[in-house]
Amino acid sequence: MTAIASSAALRRSPHATRRRIASVALLIVAAVATLAVMLPILIIVFTAFKPVSEVNAYPPTLFPGAWTLDNFTRIFTELPFARLILNSFVFAGGVTVFALVFDSLAAYALARLDFRGSRVLLIAIIASLMIPFQATLIPIYQLVSDLGWVNSYAGLIAPRAADAFGIFFLRQFFLSLPRDLDNAARIDGASEFRIFRSVVLPNAVPALLTLGIYVFVNNWNDLLWPLVFTTDAEMGTVTSGLTLLTGPGGIIPQGVMMAGSLIAVLPLAIVFLLIQRRFVESIASTGLK
C-alpha cells in the first residue's frame, strides 16, 4: 500500500508543480500590471512633495530627496483653491442629483409605461448619443448667455440636468425588473408614482449608484465645460482652476500642479470608498425589497 501511495504521489507531483508555477507566474503578471497602473499615481504623489529644485532636476527621480509641503501651500495662495473645490462639489454633485431624478423618471416611463410614440422617443434619445458634444456647445452657450447664467451654478448645472446615456442605461435596468412587482402594487391601489418611488427605485439602487458614480466623476474631471461657461476665477472648478497656473511662455509649476491634482483626486477616492460597500450590498439584495 505504501508503494502504491508513493507512486500516486509521484504521478500527482508534476501536475501540482505546474499549478504552482502557473500561480506564481499569474501573481507576477498581476503585480507588474498593478505597478504599471499605479506608476502615474505614484509620480503625482511623490512630485507633489518635491521641492522645485528636485522637480526640475535632470535626470528625474521618483522619490523626493527632501519632502516638503510648499507645493500644497502655494496651491492655496496662488489660487482660490478652497472655492474651486467647493464649486466642483456643487457642480458635480448638483448635476448628479438632478440627472438621477430626471433620468430615472424618463427611464421609468420608457420601460414600464405603454404610450403612443414611446418607441420614436427612445430612438431619438439613442440617436442623440451620436451627436458630438462639441457640436452643441455653442448653441447651449448662447442659450445660457441669453438667460444670464454665465458664471453661475445654474449655467453649469442646468444644461446637464438630464443625460441620454443615463436614460437609456436606467431603462435597460428597469426592463430587467419583474413586472409582477408593478402588478402587485397596482392591485393594492398604488399610483404610478408610488410604484416608481416605492417599488422600482429601491430595487434599482445598483444602477442608480453606478450611474451616480459615473456622472459625478465625469463632471468632476470635466475641463471644457467649466472653461466655457465660467470666465470668473471664483466660479471655476478644480480642473479649470489648475489651468491658471500656466505662467508666461507656457511654463507650468509641475510640483504645484501635482499637488492640486492630488487634492482633486482625493474626493473621488473618498466617494468611492463610501459607496463601495453600499453598492455591493444593494446588488446582493436586488429584487428582495
Side-chain angles (χ1 to χ4, degrees), residues 203-283:
N203 287 286
V205 172
L208 293 173
L209 288 177
T210 301
L211 181 62
I213 293 173
Y214 170 79
V215 173
F216 185 86
V217 172
N218 185 49
N219 286 278
W220 180 276
N221 292 329
D222 198 346
L223 172 62
L224 182 59
W225 189 269
L227 278 179
V228 171
F229 289 91
T230 59
T231 57
D232 185 0
E234 292 288 333
M235 281 302 301
T237 60
V238 171
T239 51
S240 64
L242 290 176
T243 62
L244 300 176
L245 293 173
T246 304
I251 299 176
I252 301 174
Q254 297 293 341
V256 182
M257 183 72 73
M258 294 301 104
S261 300
L262 182 59
I263 296 174
V265 169
L266 289 178
L268 301 181
I270 294 173
V271 169
F272 177 77
L273 292 175
L274 292 176
I275 294 179
Q276 182 183 22
R277 182 175 180 180
R278 174 60 178 161
F279 180 73
V280 174
E281 290 176 351
S282 62
I283 291 179

Side-chain angles (χ1 to χ4, degrees), residues 21-222:
I21 293 175
S23 299
V24 172
L26 183 61
L27 182 62
I28 293 174
V29 171
V32 172
T34 302
L35 181 61
V37 172
M38 292 296 296
L39 184 59
I41 300 176
L42 294 176
I43 293 175
I44 292 175
V45 173
F46 292 136
T47 304
F49 290 96
K50 285 182 180 180
V52 177
S53 58
E54 292 188 28
V55 172
N56 298 326
Y58 185 84
T61 58
L62 179 60
F63 299 99
W67 296 74
T68 180
L69 295 176
D70 290 345
N71 294 321
F72 293 92
T73 303
R74 288 180 58 188
I75 194 66
F76 283 97
T77 55
E78 298 182 11
L79 294 176
F81 206 66
R83 177 61 186 266
L84 298 180
I85 294 174
L86 174 63
N87 293 341
S88 292
F89 270 112
V90 174
F91 168 51
V95 171
T96 301
V97 171
F98 283 110
L100 290 178
V101 173
F102 294 135
D103 290 354
S104 60
L105 287 169
Y108 176 81
L110 291 172
R112 316 298 279 196
L113 302 179
D114 296 324
F115 60 93
R116 180 177 298 178
S118 61
R119 188 172 183 82
V120 176
L121 181 59
L122 176 61
I123 293 174
I125 291 174
I126 296 175
S128 68
L129 293 172
M130 304 177 188
I131 301 175
F133 160 70
Q134 293 79 4
T136 61
L137 187 61
I138 295 177
I140 292 175
Y141 177 81
Q142 186 63 50
L143 177 60
V144 170
S145 178
D146 292 341
L147 293 172
W149 286 355
V150 177
N151 289 319
S152 68
Y153 291 132
L156 288 171
I157 297 172
R160 291 195 164 186
D163 179 66
F165 170 77
I167 295 173
F168 177 74
F169 175 79
L170 290 179
R171 173 189 177 271
Q172 296 304 110
F173 188 88
F174 290 164
L175 288 175
S176 67
L177 297 177
R179 284 190 174 269
D180 293 342
L181 300 174
D182 303 24
N183 296 332
R186 288 191 182 95
I187 292 174
D188 291 338
S191 63
E192 288 298 332
F193 183 75
R194 179 67 182 275
I195 295 172
F196 166 74
R197 180 174 60 86
S198 302
V199 177
V200 174
L201 285 187
N203 287 286
V205 172
L208 293 173
L209 288 177
T210 301
L211 181 62
I213 293 173
Y214 170 79
V215 173
F216 185 86
V217 172
N218 185 49
N219 286 278
W220 180 276
N221 292 329
D222 198 346

